[in-house]
Amino acid sequence: MSLFLSIEGGDGAGKSTQAELLMTRLKAAGVDALLVHEPGGTDLGEQVRRLVKGDVARSPMSELFLFEAARAQLVRDVIRPALDAGRVVITDRYADSSLAYQGYGRGLNLADVRALNHAATGGLMPDATVLLDIPPDVALARVDGSDGSGGRSDDPGQERFEQEPLEFHRRVAEGFQALASEEPGRWFVVDASAGPEGVAGKVWSIVSNLLTLHGISGND
Ligand code: TYD
């Protein structure tokens, strides 16, 4: 049996770290899992990633289409085949990021974003979504290193979204919270302000329950 899980959150929430820690635990438990991130995971997706993180001028709607193009390719070429093969798929961001960033953040009509999400994914939605919830000012301080962490130097093109005003990031965070409360059966909200190991423990307790619910055990 397959399981499709997305991890969502604002910039600096620690999604990528948590996705890696989760993969380590899944591997140790003998579960065959695949990790992907959006935008990315295909040739087209990686090119879109560079484009959207750079300074190329675009309208909110063009930006949405770029993310949807990357998503459509990733679903068709990678996510669908893995789920069809019965694997566990973890995605670092998915359709909800477009609702939060391009809908709530940029102000696009939510129904339009939902329609394009549906077209790009063929209606494939995650079985469960973990929201790493953290106040945007705390998260952004992590990213730029003003919290003493040294920030992130590995991804210089990162700044496009991180340079948006705090107000933008507040709208994104409120968007994620609104999405989570609309669909409490799918979303699991985790306080991501704690250290990475503490957050990883909470994520693992959610995911191990989901594995049991989906009848997945190690070495399946
Ligand atoms: P990502 O590299 O995952 O950033 P981070 O590691 O900080 O989470 O994603 C790149 C940026 O793209 C991120 O700032 C969020 C944004 N984004 C959207 O605006 N809409 C989307 O649909 C997706 C998938 C990402």
Side-chain angles (χ1 to χ4, degrees):
M1 253 195 66
S2 63
L3 172 69
F4 183 28
L5 179 91
S6 60
I7 305 181
E8 296 283 5
D11 291 79
K15 283 178 299 79
S16 306
T17 305
Q18 289 305 321
E20 296 289 346
L21 291 171
L22 176 58
M23 285 301 284
T24 306
R25 291 204 191 205
L26 286 166
K27 203 170 172 192
V31 176
D32 176 28
L34 174 71
L35 172 62
V36 295
H37 67 242
E38 272 208 25
T42 64
D43 285 350
L44 180 122
E46 292 302 327
Q47 294 199 38
V48 167
R49 185 177 189 82
R50 278 194 290 279
L51 200 61
V52 293
K53 287 189 163 207
D55 273 334
V56 63
R58 72 279 191 137
S59 71
M61 187 55 88
S62 331
E63 184 176 88
L64 175 63
F65 273 100
L66 289 170
F67 285 113
E68 299 294 1
R71 181 167 301 133
Q73 201 72 31
L74 183 68
V75 169
R76 200 195 68 158
D77 291 356
V78 183
I79 297 180
R80 257 296 175 208
L83 293 174
D84 288 346
R87 303 182 71 188
V88 172
V89 178
I90 314 288
T91 183
D92 178 347
R93 296 196 183 282
Y94 193 61
D96 297 302
S97 274
S98 291
L99 283 164
Y101 280 81
Q102 281 66 51
Y104 287 89
R106 299 270 194 241
L108 288 180
N109 181 291
L110 292 178
D112 288 347
V113 182
R114 283 185 204 279
L116 286 183
N117 277 346
H118 193 274
T121 61
L124 176 71
M125 285 303 282
D127 297 301
T129 299
V130 171
L131 173 60
L132 297 180
D133 191 33
I134 182 170
D137 49 338
V138 177
L140 291 174
R142 277 185 184 175
V143 172
D144 72 15
S146 62
D147 65 344
S149 66
R152 284 196 303 220
S153 54
D154 56 325
D155 207 350
Q158 195 78 21
E159 285 97 35
R160 176 64 189 233
F161 282 93
E162 285 157 8
Q163 280 172 0
E164 293 291 338
L166 185 56
E167 206 34 59
F168 173 83
H169 291 283
R170 290 214 171 101
R171 288 197 299 276
V172 171
E174 282 163 17
F176 278 127
Q177 279 161 0
L179 294 169
S181 40
E182 272 166 31
E183 249 186 295
R186 171 163 72 90
W187 288 78
F188 296 82
V189 181
V190 171
D191 177 0
S193 336
E197 291 302 335
V199 176
K202 291 186 209 162
V203 172
W204 181 242
S205 76
I206 293 163
V207 173
S208 48
N209 277 332
L210 288 166
L211 292 173
T212 309
L213 272 175
H214 284 249
I216 299 167
S217 56
N219 305 313
D220 264 4

